Amino acid sequence: MAILFLTPLMILVAKKLNIVDQPNNRKVHTKSVPLLGGLAIYLSYFVSYGLLVIFTDNVATNIGYGILIGGLVMVITGLVDDIYDIKPVYKMFGQVMAALIAMEFGLLIERVSIPLIAEPIQLGWIGIPITILWVLAITNAVNLLDGLDGLASGVSGIAVASLFFVSLSIGHTHVAMVALIIVGTIMGFLHFNFNPAKIFMGDTGSLFLGFSLACLSLLNLKEATFISLLIPVLILSVPISDTFFAIVRRKVKRVPFSSADKNHLHHQLLKMGMTQKQAVLLIYSISVFFGLLSVLSVSSAFWVSILIFSFYLFFFYIIAECIGLISENYRPLINTLNRVVRKRK
């Protein structure tokens, strides 16, 4: 696989050019680590997709080109940020440009189907900002998750693998093929990125993988129904939930959303005494569980999907209270249950 050749090459290039992630008080690693892993991931996708088109009967598709060209914009944006640490507004500009490119290749939420209403609602131009918001939300969710060795890459790999099985089950074989390429690339990269990491993917990789996930899921959202919305939310349950609680936490503390902190899911697990590997493997397990639920939801009845989605909301809310994802003192449900138990005694 191309990734097994490109990643060691990028380690050498990053060290030569001093493109490394230096440790500081809000980072977990204690020594400088090369930062060009994201470039290796993108180049591996580029090579693998090109070979697929050239040497097989598979033709180039909009989803493949959308990820290739829009992903290049994401990679450039992330690479500039990794080297120069640019302002969030410039990163946002690059993400919006990539989202517009994806829409140019047909990755657009076009209509919404509402339960009990026969005809779907055509979104028209409103689908454009909704699609942009979706791409930005998923891309930044993966970006915020990139805090431990192998965490964002592994969770992304699980999510893309789930999308692979979902795409096969609904007959989107071309999407499944692209997903399979990305899964293979991530698995090869994890050999170098799992703890102790020899290389980080940086914003270059997290933005590209987040963008790829957003694009792959968009094909299931072209006609947005409750089920089609549920599936990518379950697949991306960990980054979406962690990002949601990060927004709430920063709102409660009255600090800008772009400000960094050490209160994400993985940080809280480390504070509980887990090692990096234990925290990452636990989050992998949660991602696999909800990935399986997403595949199950494809063929489930509407009421079953409602139950699955309700369980997802309850599960992550309980986790948020138990480990303090919003704040250490924010535990209204647990406190209420404790009062009820004490009264019964």
Side-chain angles (χ1 to χ4, degrees):
M1 292 174 61
I3 190 69
L4 297 177
F5 166 77
L6 288 167
T7 306
L9 177 62
M10 288 302 150
I11 292 175
L12 294 175
V13 171
K15 288 180 177 179
K16 185 73 173 178
L17 299 178
N18 196 35
I19 304 175
V20 297
D21 192 5
Q22 300 288 357
N24 59 39
N25 62 339
R26 63 179 182 85
K27 295 179 180 178
V28 176
H29 62 283
T30 57
K31 61 180 182 179
S32 60
V33 180
L35 255 181
L36 291 180
L39 193 56
I41 291 173
Y42 176 78
L43 291 174
S44 178
Y45 171 77
F46 177 88
V47 171
S48 300
Y49 184 70
L51 292 175
L52 176 73
V53 173
I54 294 170
F55 293 107
T56 72
D57 293 332
N58 290 278
V59 296
T61 60
N62 280 353
I63 180 68
Y65 277 140
I67 292 177
L68 193 66
I69 300 174
L72 178 59
V73 175
M74 284 293 190
V75 165
I76 293 171
T77 302
L79 185 60
V80 172
D81 186 51
D82 286 335
I83 298 173
Y84 298 108
D85 194 20
I86 59 177
K87 294 180 180 179
V89 65
Y90 298 132
K91 287 176 65 176
M92 187 71 68
F93 176 78
Q95 293 170 27
V96 171
M97 291 300 296
L100 291 173
I101 290 171
M103 286 189 288
E104 186 66 25
F105 284 94
L107 303 176
L108 174 68
I109 302 174
E110 299 172 342
R111 60 186 69 87
V112 175
S113 294
I114 301 174
L116 306 179
I117 297 180
E119 293 296 323
I121 299 174
Q122 300 293 330
L123 292 177
W125 67 268
I126 298 177
I128 296 175
I130 292 175
T131 302
I132 292 174
L133 286 174
W134 176 258
V135 172
L136 295 184
I138 301 305
T139 299
N140 286 288
V142 174
N143 186 227
L144 287 174
L145 194 65
D146 190 20
L148 297 181
D149 295 357
L151 180 56
S153 54
V155 170
S156 296
I158 293 167
V160 178
S162 302
L163 282 167
F164 167 76
F165 289 110
V166 168
S167 299
L168 280 183
S169 67
I170 60 179
H172 287 170
T173 54
H174 54 295
V175 180
M177 191 62 66
V178 173
L180 193 60
I181 291 173
I182 297 175
V183 170
T185 297
I186 293 172
M187 293 302 102
F189 179 70
L190 267 175
H191 175 71
F192 304 93
N193 185 232
F194 196 72
N195 183 263
K198 299 179 181 67
I199 187 170
F200 290 161
M201 63 181 180
D203 278 9
T204 310
S206 61
L207 293 183
F208 173 68
L209 290 181
F211 175 73
S212 300
L213 280 164
C215 289
L216 289 169
S217 61
L218 270 174
L219 282 184
N220 294 328
L221 290 172
K222 287 178 72 66
E223 181 172 333
T225 64
F226 178 82
I227 305 300
S228 65
L229 286 170
L230 170 66
I231 289 170
V233 170
L234 289 176
I235 288 172
L236 298 160
S237 59
V238 171
I240 286 177
S241 301
D242 193 42
T243 301
F244 171 77
F245 287 115
I247 293 171
V248 174
R249 182 171 62 249
R250 287 160 188 172
K251 183 71 173 177
V252 169
K253 294 181 178 180
R254 297 181 180 179
V255 297
F257 173 68
S258 58
S259 63
D261 64 25
K262 296 187 71 171
N263 295 299
H264 289 279
L265 174 61
H266 51 279
H267 292 128
Q268 299 303 97
L269 293 177
L270 293 180
K271 290 176 185 177
M272 292 170 61
M274 289 188 178
T275 65
Q276 277 205 54
K277 286 182 179 178
Q278 289 171 338
V280 168
L281 290 174
L282 175 60
I283 295 173
Y284 282 2
S285 301
I286 295 171
S287 299
V288 168
F289 176 70
F290 281 100
L292 292 173
L293 285 183
S294 71
V295 177
L296 176 65
S297 298
V298 175
S299 56
S300 296
F302 180 74
W303 67 271
V304 174
S305 299
I306 291 288
L307 287 177
I308 291 174
F309 188 65
S310 300
F311 171 74
Y312 154 72
L313 295 175
F314 179 75
F315 178 85
F316 278 97
Y317 181 77
I318 288 296
I319 286 182
E321 284 202 13
C322 288
I323 67 176
L325 279 180
I326 297 177
S327 73
E328 292 182 2
N329 300 319
Y330 185 83
R331 292 184 171 92
L333 181 58
I334 293 175
N335 292 338
T336 300
L337 292 175
N338 288 336
R339 285 195 295 268
V340 171
V341 170
R342 285 195 296 267
K343 285 181 180 179
R344 288 188 175 181
K345 290 181 178 179

